[in-house]
Amino acid sequence: MHPFGLSRTDDPGEAIAAHAHDSQLAFIAGGTDLLGLMKDGATLPERLLDINGLPNMERIEAMPGGGVRIGALARMSDVAGNTEVRQRFPVIAEALLFAASGQLRNMASIGGNIMQRTRCAYFRDEIGCRCNKRNWGSGCAAFHGFNRNHAIFGWSESCVATNPSDLAVALAAMDAIVIVQGKTGERLIPFTDFHRLPGDAPERDNVLDRGDLIVAIEVPANVEASASHYLKVRDRASYEFALVSTAAAVETDGRRIRLARLAMGGVAHKPWRLTAAETGLRGISLDDIDGLRSAIAASFTDARPLVHNAFKVELAKRVTLRALQTAGARA
């Protein structure tokens, strides 16, 4: 294990300043992903700053009008079990319960969950495979290697990894906002802009800079949120990351779809919003299976499967259809 120093703070300003001025310092809350990365040699900070003492960042608060504010230090299990979250945003509670194991959910923080790094085996390989995320310029071993679990959307030849967070998919579908405190004050980042596509800088998973501290996530009220569902397909029934997953929410007029929200996991470097399908589904009856399938297929015209994951295209369409039908049954 890489040696490191550990300190604590209960002052947000102190935490931000320390992170901004020390490139070898990392924040730690639950540590469920960070410590694994350190064991794998994928990240090797010299100093860890324990931020669990920062005030008021573990709160889960119902907002006027039907939204919810989730503190970055709230634990996954607490959010999944929160009555307001379960009633207002079942898709969020379900995404959390599909994630990790009970023990990890009790420890892992919400801010850490959306920051977790890919489970690409080449990135996590402590021996040191070619990986541009770990060593820029070394290449992407997965691009020409075994890429069954990798991206079908938005990849570049520099990186074909996928984002592993189940929660992130639900938050993308709900148009959540990430509240960040940094060197120049507070800023609000739309969740669909928070994670990056790899491009020619795959080492950057998100848009945060040194000195940025995630304070909370706000999920705005929307009429379709209560009729929502998260469906995850994986190789085994527990403690496994998604081959593909879909967060779906729907508002209906009778059986006809007035508005749909769809986001996918396991298919890209970031949660992937199916915007073409959302548009095409308006006015279609939930009983019109061919119509639903055709609208969903519109979001897959730009899919680019790799050598070993072409099956994901059809699987993703089927998972999206099933998630949409389940959400529709709750409307």
Side-chain angles (χ1 to χ4, degrees):
M1 183 68 178
H2 173 70
F4 58 88
L6 176 66
S7 58
R8 296 178 175 84
T9 184
D10 58 5
D11 183 332
E14 182 179 278
I16 290 167
H19 193 265
H21 294 106
D22 186 349
S23 63
Q24 293 302 311
L25 180 142
F27 293 139
I28 185 169
T32 55
D33 188 39
L34 177 59
L35 293 180
L37 289 166
M38 292 171 69
K39 290 177 182 178
D40 293 337
T43 186
L44 298 172
E46 298 293 331
R47 287 164 289 282
L48 301 183
L49 181 60
D50 185 339
I51 59 172
N52 286 296
L54 298 183
N56 304 320
M57 281 177 53
E58 78 290 346
R59 292 181 178 177
I60 307 166
E61 302 172 274
M63 298 168 59
V68 65
R69 179 183 171 107
I70 303 170
L73 292 177
R75 304 302 165 175
M76 291 171 61
S77 56
D78 291 334
V79 179
N82 182 270
T83 300
E84 297 294 339
V85 173
R86 293 173 64 186
Q87 291 178 349
R88 298 183 183 194
F89 301 98
V91 68
I92 293 176
E94 291 172 352
L96 287 165
L97 290 172
F98 269 120
S101 65
Q103 295 93 330
L104 288 173
R105 291 195 297 269
N106 287 339
M107 191 67 184
S109 69
I110 294 300
N113 181 283
I114 67 169
M115 289 282 289
Q116 65 181 303
R117 307 203 69 188
T118 184
R119 258 53 189 189
C120 171
Y122 297 101
F123 170 71
R124 295 275 174 166
D125 186 358
E126 60 182 320
I127 297 174
C129 288
R130 290 182 297 110
C131 176
N132 286 318
K133 276 186 174 294
R134 292 182 68 146
N135 182 19
W136 172 245
S138 65
C140 175
F143 184 60
H144 294 295
F146 185 64
N147 44 46
R148 176 178 181 268
N149 296 330
H150 291 70
I152 59 173
F153 292 112
W155 54 263
S156 70
E157 292 189 14
S158 296
C159 182
V160 296
T162 57
N163 183 285
S165 173
D166 294 298
L167 173 63
V169 181
L171 294 175
M174 292 294 103
D175 285 325
I177 302 293
V178 184
I179 302 173
V180 175
Q181 195 74 30
K183 295 174 290 185
T184 58
E186 183 179 273
R187 69 185 194 275
L188 309 181
I189 304 173
F191 202 87
T192 50
D193 295 334
F194 180 77
H195 295 97
R196 299 179 68 260
L197 291 178
D200 59 1
E203 72 279 6
R204 294 195 63 197
D205 294 333
N206 53 62
V207 298
L208 296 186
D209 295 318
R210 297 298 306 178
D212 282 342
L213 173 69
I214 300 173
V215 175
I217 295 169
E218 287 191 359
V219 190
N222 60 74
V223 294
E224 62 277 11
S226 60
S228 60
H229 179 57
Y230 183 75
L231 180 59
K232 177 179 181 178
V233 172
R234 46 193 168 175
D235 283 330
R236 60 185 182 188
S238 66
Y239 193 27
E240 184 62 278
F241 297 92
L243 280 173
V244 297
S245 65
T246 298
V250 63
E251 180 192 5
T252 61
D253 181 4
R255 294 290 291 169
R256 291 198 175 272
I257 297 171
R258 294 183 61 185
L259 184 66
R261 295 171 176 269
L262 297 169
M264 293 210 73
V267 296
H269 201 254
K270 61 185 291 184
W272 196 257
R273 193 75 178 259
L274 303 183
T275 53
E278 291 174 345
T279 300
L281 285 165
R282 294 173 187 166
I284 295 179
S285 170
L286 287 163
D287 300 315
D288 181 1
I289 304 303
D290 288 340
L292 297 177
R293 286 174 175 159
S294 178
I296 290 168
S299 277
F300 288 83
T301 57
D302 56 349
R304 295 184 297 153
L306 300 163
V307 173
H308 301 291
N309 69 1
F311 72 94
K312 277 194 176 188
V313 176
E314 180 60 27
L315 179 61
K317 292 177 184 178
R318 295 186 184 192
V319 170
T320 300
L321 175 61
R322 181 65 62 86
L324 180 67
Q325 289 174 313
T326 303
R330 297 174 174 176

